[in-house]
C-alpha cells in the first residue's frame, strides 16, 4: 500500500491494519516526490509533493492520542516557512 495516497497494491497484507497506532517508528524517503494529482485526493491539509511533509501529516493522522513517534527527517523540514 502507498501509505501517503492510500493506493492499495495487495489488500490482503493490510486488511486487518488498525486505524491508529500507539507507536510509530519511521524513516521516510528523503528523495521521493509523490504525484501531486494523487495527493489532491488525500485529506491532508497541506497539499505538497514533498514526501517528508506528507509523512509528517500521515503520522499525525495515524498516531493515537498520547501516542509516541520517532521520526528521521531532514532539518530543513523544521525551518522552511514556505512548505
Amino acid at each position: 500500500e502507498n501509505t501517503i495516497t492510500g493506493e492499495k497494491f495487495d489488500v490482503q497484507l493490510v486488511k486487518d491494519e488498525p486505524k491508529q497506532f500507539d507507536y510509530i517508528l519511521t524513516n521516510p524517503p528523503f528523495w521521493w516526490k509523490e504525484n501531486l494529482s494523487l495527493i489532491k485526493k488525500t485529506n491532508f491539509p497541506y497539499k505538497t509533493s514533498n514526501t517528508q511533509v506528507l509523512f509528517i501529516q500521515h503520522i499525525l493522522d495515524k498516531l493515537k492520542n498520547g501516542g509516541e513517534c520517532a521520526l528521521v527527517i531532514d532539518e530543513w523540514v523544521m525551518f522552511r516557512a514556505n512548505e
Side-chain angles (χ1 to χ4, degrees):
E1 175 178 15
N2 181 330
T3 58
I4 297 298
T5 64
E7 185 179 24
K8 298 193 184 313
F9 302 105
D10 187 349
V11 178
Q12 292 301 315
L13 281 174
V14 294
K15 69 177 184 164
D16 296 324
E17 176 185 286
K19 296 290 183 208
Q20 291 189 304
F21 301 88
D22 295 311
Y23 302 98
I24 296 177
L25 309 170
T26 186
N27 182 359
F30 294 137
W31 55 272
W32 184 257
K33 294 288 184 191
E34 191 58 72
N35 183 332
L36 199 51
S37 65
L38 294 175
I39 299 308
K40 291 179 181 178
K41 297 177 186 176
T42 68
N43 292 326
F44 296 137
Y46 300 104
K47 307 296 184 197
T48 177
S49 62
N50 184 293
T51 53
Q52 293 177 61
V53 175
L54 293 169
F55 264 96
I56 291 171
Q57 295 179 92
H58 177 65
I59 290 166
L60 291 172
D61 185 53
K62 289 292 189 174
L63 200 59
K64 287 182 181 178
N65 286 339
E68 296 180 23
C69 173
L71 169 65
V72 176
I73 201 104
D74 283 341
E75 67 179 74
W76 72 263
V77 173
M78 302 300 288
F79 301 108
R80 273 184 64 180
N82 64 346
E83 277 290 337

